[in-house]
């Protein structure tokens, strides 16, 4: 054994571990570029129906949801909603309306999804309903601020959610605990709405509002099925949601 | 003068320049977070009408357009379009159609915008028309690949552009030079279309296609005004564009 062998081994070790960590960084960067683009296609509805977050993007989604990205995207969306709201002339007859979705719009289920794989696990209705019954979902701060500003401006606020009628008490309690108040109506799925695509159910309920004489100026939701269809609002505001898709 | 003064000055200099570069990095990170969110709200149409890229986001937009982001977003969008296209049963009567926009969809005007401030300068029709007449806009690679695949699958392809009839020759020449061929029809604004919002003009032209018996399965465009309105396609594919907005 020559004297130079340990040094050679050390250099070889440094070289190999350097190459490996370089490869890991490179792979992680490629994943980020891809997952950013996946999120672009999710948020613009290019993807259409999707089931689970792609496995290579789960940690990306976790970072996005728990870091600055989600908070900032929500805030900037709310700021454009408020900017538009301020241009609306409020007639004073109580008919100038704004529609909010609930889940991932007024309330955040991030604490639930944080212990259920950030969108990587199939939806489990039983455990999600238990979570809803706790009435512990925190407010999305950007939406709570927007909500208060809209009330101040004189808008009549409707909440239109895919949650079911039997979840009314837990939902109302949760909303109140988180600082929401003075909404006009909280609209939930009745038994006759079960099985309807969200776009149809929500459009039908908006049409009822329009037929009651409400002018729906704005609509905030995290799903395109909150915003598309008929009896749509003048302006729609898409909140981010890379966790799940509702048709 | 004591001996320690030069050392003290050096340490102070290192401290101050360190603090300054820290602040610059921090500010640049905050800009990136904001500009990412601005782009989210642009691409989901939360912003609605907008005129110029916000000055704090111009270098962000430049990096996005010339780096991996724009290429990757376009590729992933095209991959979802192709995935959908493969599920369409082609009847063989030539009536299964796909509609493409031209600018920032089939052709890229990035070389033009690179020398015109990446969306930070007001639109200058004169210089843009000169650029169009050159017929030198490169293909968006993701769209060219999608186009070829769609032709292969048996789709009838229409191009529906906001460019004017007098730009037909330059546009057709540019498309051919870049590898596009065998389209069914290139539809441009006629004099009677001038001044119409793009959503209306494009919807009317799609309706004409529907009335001719075409089944519009897919529609690819970088503006929501390419995709919204009436006679819409079964599935729409929104390509990225943080450079400009067309109502």
């Amino acid at each position: 054994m020559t004297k130079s062998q340990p040094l050679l081994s050390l250099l070889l070790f440094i070289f190999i571990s350097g190459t490996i960590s370089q490869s890991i960084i490179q792979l992680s960067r490629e994943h980020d570029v891809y997952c950013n683009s996946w999120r672009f296609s999710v948020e613009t509805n290019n993807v259409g129906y999707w089931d689970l977050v792609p496995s290579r993007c789960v940690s990306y989604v976790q970072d996005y949801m728990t870091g600055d990205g989600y908070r900032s995207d929500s805030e900037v969306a709310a700021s454009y909603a408020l900017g538009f709201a301020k241009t609306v002339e409020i007639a004073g007859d109580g008919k100038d309306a704004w529609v909010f979705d609930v889940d991932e719009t007024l309330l955040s289920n991030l604490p639930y999804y944080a212990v259920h794989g950030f969108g990587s696990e199939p939806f489990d209705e039983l455990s999600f309903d238990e979570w809803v019954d706790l009435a512990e979902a925190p407010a999305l701060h950007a939406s709570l601020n927007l909500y208060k500003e809209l009330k101040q401006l004189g808008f009549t606020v409707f909440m239109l959610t895919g949650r079911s009628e039997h979840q009314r008490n837990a939902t109302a309690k949760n909303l109140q605990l988180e600082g929401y108040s003075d909404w006009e109506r909280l609209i939930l799925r009745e038994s006759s709405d079960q099985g309807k695509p969200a776009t149809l159910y929500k459009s039908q309920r908006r049409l009822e509002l329009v037929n009651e004489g409400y002018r729906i100026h704005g609509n905030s939701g995290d799903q395109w099925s909150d915003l598309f269809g008929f009896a749509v609002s003048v302006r729609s505001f898409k909140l981010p949601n890379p966790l799940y898709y509702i048709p």
Side-chain angles (χ1 to χ4, degrees), chain A:
Chain A
M1 195 177 163
T2 68
K3 237 180 135 183
S4 66
Q5 263 190 341
L7 184 67
L8 213 68
S9 304
L10 182 68
L11 285 174
L12 201 67
F13 173 77
I14 291 171
F15 176 75
I16 289 172
S17 52
T19 308
I20 290 172
S21 53
Q22 276 286 53
S23 307
I24 290 172
I25 290 167
Q26 177 64 17
L27 194 67
S28 148
R29 222 192 69 81
E30 277 170 24
H31 276 207
D32 277 0
V33 170
Y34 173 79
C35 298
N36 246 323
S37 296
W38 171 78
R39 197 164 61 78
F40 167 82
S41 269
V42 159
E43 297 295 7
T44 53
N45 212 24
N46 290 341
V47 179
Y49 178 82
W50 59 277
D51 192 17
L52 300 177
V53 171
S55 55
R56 67 191 279 197
C57 295
V58 176
S59 73
Y60 166 91
V61 167
Q62 172 169 359
D63 289 349
Y64 169 77
M65 291 300 296
T66 57
D68 283 340
Y70 181 59
R71 180 195 49 73
S72 172
D73 283 358
S74 308
E75 282 173 5
V76 172
S79 77
Y80 283 108
L82 182 60
F84 162 68
K86 286 180 174 169
T87 68
V88 174
E89 239 178 275
I90 302 292
D93 59 357
K95 296 296 191 184
D96 292 297
W98 198 283
V99 175
F100 280 99
D101 169 55
V102 173
D103 291 299
E104 269 51 72
T105 300
L106 294 179
L107 298 177
S108 167
N109 298 303
L110 190 53
Y112 174 85
Y113 284 98
V115 293
H116 287 86
F118 288 99
S120 65
E121 296 173 12
F123 181 65
D124 176 44
E125 198 169 336
L126 198 69
S127 70
F128 188 76
D129 285 358
E130 283 171 9
W131 158 253
V132 166
D133 285 341
L134 293 177
E136 286 177 2
L140 244 107
H141 288 292
S143 296
L144 181 57
N145 291 339
L146 174 63
Y147 183 98
K148 287 178 176 171
E149 298 262 19
L150 292 176
K151 288 296 304 174
Q152 202 73 26
L153 288 169
F155 281 90
T156 299
V157 173
F158 293 91
M159 295 163 173
L160 177 49
T161 172
R163 291 187 180 188
S164 297
E165 194 56 54
H166 70 87
Q167 296 168 312
R168 176 178 292 281
N169 290 348
T171 305
K173 180 182 163 193
N174 198 156
L175 287 163
Q176 270 156 346
L177 283 172
E178 287 300 312
Y180 295 99
S181 60
D182 299 319
W183 59 81
E184 185 68 17
R185 217 175 292 169
L186 167 61
I187 304 168
L188 304 102
R189 272 183 196 258
E190 295 173 15
S191 52
S192 61
D193 298 313
Q194 300 301 332
K196 272 183 200 166
T199 309
L200 179 62
Y201 153 67
K202 296 204 166 186
S203 293
Q204 288 175 335
R205 295 313 181 88
R206 283 196 305 270
L207 185 59
E208 288 173 14
L209 298 180
V210 169
N211 290 339
E212 289 179 47
Y214 289 103
R215 298 174 291 274
I216 308 177
H217 297 284
N219 187 359
S220 302
D222 62 293
Q223 301 286 328
W224 286 108
S225 55
D226 297 329
L227 309 172
F228 279 172
F230 49 90
V232 296
S233 54
V234 178
R235 285 277 298 275
S236 287
F237 299 92
K238 171 73 175 75
L239 275 69
N241 187 354
L243 295 171
Y244 57 85
Y245 177 84
I246 295 176

